[in-house]
Structures are given as structure tokens and as C-alpha cells.
Amino acid sequence: MSATDSEKKVLVGVDELTAVLMSAMIYADGLAEWEAKAEKMIKKFAQLANLEGIFGKQKELEGSPPQGYTVAYQYGDNPFYFAVAYHPSHPKMGVIVKFSAYSWAVYCEKMETDIKRFLGSVQSKFYRIRLSRVDFTVDYQNWDMSVNDIYQKLKKKQLEIHNHKGGVNHSEINAQETDGKASTFYVGSRKTGTRLFLRVYDKKKEQVEKKGFRYKEALNTKSWVRFEAVFKADYAHQLTHIIMKTDEEKLADLIADKIAEKYRFYDLTNKEYTDFTTALLKKSKEVFPRLRLESPRDNDFTRSLIHLVNGSGLFPAMHKCDETWGIKSSLVLLKCLYDIYTYNYIPNEDVQLWLKKYRSILLRHSLEEELELLKQILLRSA
């Protein structure tokens, strides 16, 4: 092994990801139109992503479809898992696009792309796309560390896991042990519905034993420990927007920052971060928007108002109106929209369910307070 091969490295990346395509016209079209719309969305996505050019011709999926989906496709015959799927009876589930780590690595290599360019390249008027899962990784190659050593120190309360605010992570820690030694451990639950968990494992051992697609790389390392933070649901949705607003050359900084935001290993014996956490913190040169948990006041009502301002095109339409027909003609436009709302709008079942869930919470505050909150959020993001 050469000196270069034994050099200590800290590498960050994206392991696997799952995205969902959602139609903006589900309720207008109804269930009868959903299957045709889903097929159209898949066709458009496949064209924009160049799936047939990269993976091969579309065909029915030969393996198991993503959980909850029934109509599934693969592209070509490849030694990895990649699927695009939908359920004919559940349009709210959208169209799922599931990359395994292997298929994502192949796709990025052949397309010469990354997660930001990918998300940008598949935008379409036929659907909106957001991540439902994304795995951020940090690899420590040729470090004098082992998974078992970290796990045992956590068990003995010699190490704690902190977040960026210094709060202690009290999630359950489970390990896969052989002869009393752990080669993999998990921090947090992997069950459906969780936003986040961490997997720490011996990547060299995994690749050598399974002869994985990074087998040769594994052979050329003395050691290889991977920390894999899995962001799901709301966290993945937020990361979609953060990634799209991040300059491409700062993606590595973003990945390091997000892992360090949630998982910082703190040595209780010397009251300092471990050397590998310190190295990760140095990897990110700036702080990105923090991931947040939904609060009662940060709900769909506020987000729908934010969308009206930032994403719907309402303000540009008002500006065009004023510039064409004179100042305050936008008030005429808003009055027209209000009349349409008053006399023609019929709330769907989702709206009724939302009111049942959130109305009593919103009533704890005045409308003026909610609008002031909206102003504060918009000013922070400006």
C-alpha cells in the first residue's frame, strides 16, 4: 500500500435518495384521470433525467416495488435497484423515484451530475418534485478508529451525541454484534414515519464481504468507517429547498453541516468533541439554514401564505397588472379573485381535515399575530 493510500481522509457524499413527483391538479382531475397523469409524469421525468440513455429501456420492475406502490418500472437490466412507481388508487402518494446507493453512483458518474444539478434538471410544469429521503454520508478512511470502539464508549457513557445547540441526543442506540463486537450501530429508530436516524458501520468490511461496487477502493484503505445520516419526510422536504438554493461548489459544505447539525460526538472525559467530529466541523466552511420541527404555528396555513408570496406567481401578476393598467389596479384583480372564491370555491376533503386538526390551535392567536409571523419569516428569507 502506498503512502497516498494510507493518508487520512474525510469524504462526504450522498449515498441514496428517494424523490416524489406530485401533480398540482390531483383534485381537479379526480381519480379517474390519475393513472394517465401518472404515466405522463413518468414519461416526462424519464425524458428529462435521460433514464433510458443512462440505464436502458423502460420495462416492468422485476423486483419488489417501493413500499405502498403497485405499478412500477425499471430501466434496462442492471445489477442495482432503481424504480419509478405509483399506485393507481392513491394519487396523493404521487410518483416515487427510488435510487439505491449503487444506481445513484452510476447515474451521477454517467450523467456527470450531482444532487443539485439533478433536481434542477428534472423540474417540469407537469409536476413538482421533492425529496422524501436522502442519505448524507461522511467517510473516515485510514483513521485509527473502529465502529466497536465508538459504540462501546457510547454504552459506557464516555461519549455523548450532541446537536448544534449542545443538546444531548437521547435516541436509542442499537448494534449488530458478532462475538461481542459491533461492526454497525444505529442511533434512532428506522421505523416508517421517523424523520432522522444515523447508521455507523465498517464500510471496508461491508464492501469486501459483499464485493460491492466500491470493493477496489475498500481494498486500498487501511480502515473505512462511515457515518450515514438518513433524512426523511419533513427533513428531506426542507433539504430539497436548501439544496436548490445552495451553490454547487458548496454542496460538500452543506452535507458536512447537516450531519454535524444533528450528530456531534462529545468526549465526556476531556470535555471536547472527538477528533473525527472536529474534522467534520472543519469540513464545512459556513452554516446553512437549520432543519426545523413543525410547530403548531409553523403549519400549512403559514406555508400556504408563504407560497402565495414566493411561489405562486400572485405578486408578479399584481405587478404586471399595476404596470399595465395603473397603480392599484391590482386591487381590482384581488377583488375579482375574492368574488370567485366567495361564489365558486368549494373546499375539498383535505381542507376540512386540516381545519379539524389545526383550527383550535390557530385560534389561540389572532389573525394579526399570524400575519406578523408571516412577515418575520419572509423578511428572514429575503
Side-chain angles (χ1 to χ4, degrees), residues 17-37:
L17 62 86
T18 303
V20 176
L21 316 178
M22 297 297 298
S23 169
M25 301 297 291
I26 289 174
Y27 303 111
D29 292 342
L31 183 61
E33 302 294 328
W34 165 238
E35 193 164 357
K37 179 170 284 292

Side-chain angles (χ1 to χ4, degrees), residues 239-256:
L239 282 170
T240 307
H241 300 293
I242 295 171
I243 289 167
M244 291 301 293
K245 291 180 179 179
T246 299
D247 293 336
E248 192 170 350
E249 61 271 17
K250 295 181 180 179
L251 281 178
D253 293 344
L254 170 64
I255 293 168

Side-chain angles (χ1 to χ4, degrees), residues 318-354:
M318 292 172 64
H319 179 72
K320 292 172 185 175
C321 190
D322 283 341
E323 288 295 310
T324 303
W325 291 286
I327 298 299
K328 295 189 177 181
S329 63
S330 55
L331 289 175
V332 179
L333 169 63
L334 290 176
K335 177 62 168 60
C336 175
L337 293 176
Y338 180 77
D339 288 343
I340 294 171
Y341 157 74
T342 302
Y343 299 109
N344 299 96
Y345 173 72
I346 300 174
N348 59 42
E349 183 182 350
D350 272 8
V351 174
Q352 301 296 347
L353 290 172
W354 186 94

Side-chain angles (χ1 to χ4, degrees), residues 48-97:
L48 292 172
N50 192 25
L51 293 182
E52 293 198 346
I54 299 299
F55 292 153
K57 292 291 185 182
Q58 184 192 73
K59 58 189 291 189
E60 288 188 13
L61 183 67
E62 294 176 357
S64 300
Q67 185 176 5
Y69 294 82
T70 56
V71 179
Y73 301 105
Q74 67 185 54
Y75 290 78
D77 293 297
N78 299 292
F80 50 68
Y81 186 88
F82 173 80
V84 180
Y86 67 94
H87 195 300
S89 302
H90 297 286
K92 292 181 184 179
M93 292 171 63
V95 173
I96 193 170
V97 179

